[in-house]
């Protein structure tokens, strides 16, 4: 890659630009029936890839509108659409640029994916603050003349409530949805995680109230965008009148593989993208069917409710495995059982805060070139850092772990001791103090020599001063560890095989590569019982149905996924039995124990056919595992 190409790639990344090539755009345009649209807008138009795609599938709109922040991309858009009647292209960000007052038949877009936290410039382009985006969004919604009072209230609520730390894609979704006329279509290129992450909850709530999601096509091989790190989905939703208490309609869920690509098009063995769209809309089976080469699909009922609710909702495939008993099943959340979940320790500078212990020698990260360091043992906390460090079984023994967290609270370097005055602290051995000083002056990466370890966002917050300005805490001193850092149970966040929950028997520190669980109520479900429950086929099938599948076929299990789990409402007897089996699981991690767990868990919903339902749940989970492994 040339220097110019590298700079262009860096610029695009900073602007959150992942331009949509024509083959993806044509498929999305066909799915959204662009041919029948008289008015089309892309409020984040880029170089007009999606508008061109609409034209290429037969769209001949009277109005074709695009708005773009980047003048370079807009110049390309003007060139691409030169001579197309009814075209209107505007330079500016969609949240502050003047918007056409009328609603559109089709709003089609690929929002930028970047967090707008502070004002900055990228290649001379002013990037709005998160506050500016929200202010502009609220102003734009308030100025839509065709929104009814109830509709405006719904959109304003979404604009005011989405998290300030959200990716710019979240307000982009809200704005785009506000431009669709009733009966019109919203078509979006989205990361797969929009269906599950907390930050997009506001978007899902908005769509649930005002749209029917008709089709979702997932890039199963993560092959559509070379520079994207997550799988992509094409989402097509139709605007309808506002409703309350709606449970969602039928959604065609499709999964594409690289075999769908034929001669530069995403159409498999069919003649056109329009044929693909027609075939997908004809799918009516709740079980996957082959639509064409590289494309399978099934229908799900009430999809949006099941993913947007923060309460417990059984995934459709899990409900199907449970049979008729699922209709009357009472399910609960993790929180209702008195437990919480959160991500493990994110130090911000693993090359400093983690060391390994080998034959009694404390070894820092290889980049420092040190054979060992005399770090006091009191400053070294056993830690689970990577999954391969864990032994077989379901319980962790801290004495067997090679990783240690460097926890220097109460310890300072000799030079920092002088700066503190008369405060109490212990002085680190000179070699350790010298290492700390060396790290302090080292860049995190040779690629950015100006960013030093103490300046990192997650590290700088460690520093504290008193009212007189004297330092009382330094960058190398981690804050007090919270329950999420030393949880009772934990699960790996990325899992290549069957998800597995572990008992943190010795209270070791758990890294951010894991999601931890800990009790918060005095009558919380016993830890042994929850260990058994989390290792059941019920939970396995649920996670396979709701979690993100990464490009390599691994399952990404976030704390939010655990919080949303629909767990069976267990009787006191079932809890007692699961607690006993959880202890057995620790002592004897055999398959027979897992079988016994499955029988109790499934039997709590379907007592008379627990064995059959347990087998069905395991089959669902195993099929999902084979599917993501086969397509990795």
């Amino acid at each position: 890659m040339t220097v110019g190409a590298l700079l262009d790639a860096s610029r695009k990344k900073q602007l959150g630009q992942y331009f949509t090539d024509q083959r993806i755009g044509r498929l999305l345009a066909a799915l959204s029936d662009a041919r029948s649209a008289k008015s089309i807008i892309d409020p984040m138009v880029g170089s007009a890839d999606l508008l061109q795609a609409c034209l290429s599938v037969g769209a001949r709109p009277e109005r074709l509108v695009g708005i773009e922040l980047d003048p370079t991309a807009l110049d390309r858009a003007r060139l691409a659409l030169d001579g197309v009647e009814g075209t209107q292209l505007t330079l500016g960000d969609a949240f502050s640029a003047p918007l056409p007052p009328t609603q559109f038949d089709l709003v089609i877009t690929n929002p930028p994916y970047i967090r707008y936290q502070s004002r900055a410039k990228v290649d001379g382009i002013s990037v709005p603050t998160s506050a500016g985006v929200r202010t502009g969004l609220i102003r734009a919604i308030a100025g839509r003349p065709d929104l009814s009072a109830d509709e405006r209230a719904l959109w304003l609520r979404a604009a005011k409530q989405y998290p300030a730390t959200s990716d710019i894609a979240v307000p982009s979704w809200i704005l785009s949805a506000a431009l669709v006329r009733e009966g019109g279509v919203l078509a979006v290129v989205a990361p797969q995680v929009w269906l599950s992450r907390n930050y997009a909850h506001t978007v899902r709530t908005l769509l649930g109230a005002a749209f029917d999601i008709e089709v979702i096509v997932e890039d199963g091989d993560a092959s559509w965008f070379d520079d994207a790190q997550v799988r992509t989905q094409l989402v097509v939703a139709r605007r309808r009148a506002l409703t309350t208490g709606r449970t969602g309609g039928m959604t065609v869920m499709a999964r594409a593989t690289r075999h769908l690509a034929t001669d530069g098009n995403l159409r498999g063995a069919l003649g056109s993208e329009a044929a693909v769209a027609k075939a997908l809309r004809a799918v009516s089976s709740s079980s996957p069917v082959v639509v064409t080469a590289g494309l399978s699909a099934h229908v799900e009922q009430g999809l949006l409710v099941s993913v947007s609710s923060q309460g417990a909702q059984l995934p459709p495939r899990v409900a199907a495995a449970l049979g008729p008993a699922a209709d009357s099943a009472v399910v609960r959340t993790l929180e209702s059982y008195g437990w919480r979940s959160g991500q493990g320790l994110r130090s911000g500078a693993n090359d400093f805060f983690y060391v390994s212990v080998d034959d009694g020698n404390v070894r820092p990260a290889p980049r420092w070139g040190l054979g060992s360091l005399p770090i006091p043992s009191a400053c070294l906390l056993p830690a689970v850092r990577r999954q391969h460090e864990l032994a077989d079984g379901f319980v962790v023994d801290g004495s067997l772990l090679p990783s240690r967290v460097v926890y220097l609270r109460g310890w300072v370097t000799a030079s920092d001791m002088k700066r503190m005055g008369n405060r109490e602290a212990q002085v680190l051995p000179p070699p350790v103090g010298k290492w700390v000083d060396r790290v302090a002056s080292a860049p995190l990466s040779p690629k950015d020599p100006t960013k030093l370890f103490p300046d990192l966002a997650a590290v700088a917050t460690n520093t504290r001063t008193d009212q007189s300005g004297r330092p009382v805490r330094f960058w190398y001193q981690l804050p007090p560890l919270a329950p999420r850092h030393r949880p009772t149970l934990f699960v790996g966040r990325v899992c290549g095989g069957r998800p597995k929950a572990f008992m943190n028997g010795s209270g070791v520190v758990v890294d951010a590569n894991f999601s931890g669980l800990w009790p918060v109520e005095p009558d919380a479900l016993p830890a042994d019982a929850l260990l058994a429950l989390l290792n059941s086929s019920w939970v396995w099938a649920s996670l396979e149905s709701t979690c993100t599948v990464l490009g390599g076929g691994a399952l990404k299990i976030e704390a939010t996924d655990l919080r949303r789990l629909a767990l069976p409402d267990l009787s006191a007897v079932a809890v007692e039995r699961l607690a006993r089996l959880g202890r057995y699981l620790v002592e004897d991690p055999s398959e027979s124990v897992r079988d016994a767990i499955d029988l109790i868990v499934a039997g709590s919903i379907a007592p008379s056919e627990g064995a059959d339902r347990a087998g069905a749940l395991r089959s669902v989970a195993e099929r999902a595992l084979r599917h993501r492994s086969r397509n990795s």
Side-chain angles (χ1 to χ4, degrees), residues 2 152 206 243 337 373 390 403 494 515:
T2 65
R152 185 170 289 106
L206 173 65
T243 56
Y337 273 122
L373 269 177
L390 297 168
S403 295
V494 177
S515 295

Side-chain angles (χ1 to χ4, degrees), residues 183-197:
V185 173
L186 174 65
V188 182
V189 181
Q192 184 191 35
V193 295
W194 82 275
L195 272 175
S196 58
R197 295 297 165 262

Side-chain angles (χ1 to χ4, degrees), residues 88 150 215 264 286 300 353 468 568:
Q88 177 188 342
D150 288 342
V215 181
S286 60
E300 289 194 11
F353 288 107
S468 68

Side-chain angles (χ1 to χ4, degrees), residues 10 72 83 108 112 118 136 192 245 278 318 322 393 436 461 470 497 506 536 610:
S10 175
T72 301
I108 185 168
S118 60
Q192 184 191 35
K278 182 178 180 180
V318 174
L322 291 172
V436 171
T461 54
R470 282 184 175 272
S506 50
S536 67

